[in-house]
Amino acid sequence: MRAGNDAHDADRLGLTATLIASAFAVLIGAGVGVITTFTHRQLPPLGLIAGLLIVGALIAGFRLVFGSRIIAGAAGLGVLIAVAVLALPGAGGSVVVADGVLGYVWVLGTPLIAVAVLAWPGIRRRAST
């Protein structure tokens, strides 16, 4: 399996399978985004580093398993939506992501990690002869 052009990925998996896997990836990504957003301030800076590594591993895992940037991008989208929603002030003015270095690194680091994993070149395997 080789990660190639996204159009070829969708053709290889089929449209229905790609849509179902993408929906699954968004849900899993959102769950991971919620959990890591709530725990990124634990044991500073280890919680932040662990959270960013978990986000990177999640997106890389979806990319490796499905061989598709579309599905991995859906997982990244789920994480980013969760982080963005939790970074906004709630109805009472309370926030999960506080102002400060850890908060800014978390809010800016998650999309950078996602883009880095998605932009990483695919692994090309030699055809066996």
Side-chain angles (χ1 to χ4, degrees):
M1 227 187 317
R2 156 182 176 259
N5 187 336
D6 287 335
H8 292 155
D9 293 339
D11 290 341
R12 184 174 47 83
L13 291 174
L15 180 61
T16 304
T18 301
L19 290 175
I20 291 170
S22 295
F24 174 73
V26 167
L27 291 174
I28 296 298
V32 168
V34 167
I35 292 168
T36 54
T37 298
F38 274 103
T39 59
H40 79 278
R41 295 187 61 88
Q42 302 299 315
L43 298 172
L46 298 178
L48 175 68
I49 294 168
L52 291 173
L53 289 174
I54 289 167
V55 167
L58 171 79
I59 298 168
F62 270 104
R63 186 163 172 209
L64 289 171
V65 167
F66 291 102
S68 169
R69 284 187 170 101
I70 294 171
I71 299 169
L77 180 66
V79 171
L80 296 179
I81 289 171
V83 170
V85 167
L86 292 172
L88 296 173
S94 62
V95 293
V96 175
V97 181
D99 283 342
V101 174
L102 291 177
Y104 290 125
V105 171
W106 178 248
V107 170
L108 298 174
T110 50
L112 291 175
I113 294 289
V115 167
V117 172
L118 291 172
W120 198 266
I123 300 172
R124 295 182 187 219
R125 298 185 184 184
R126 288 191 228 170
S128 56
T129 57

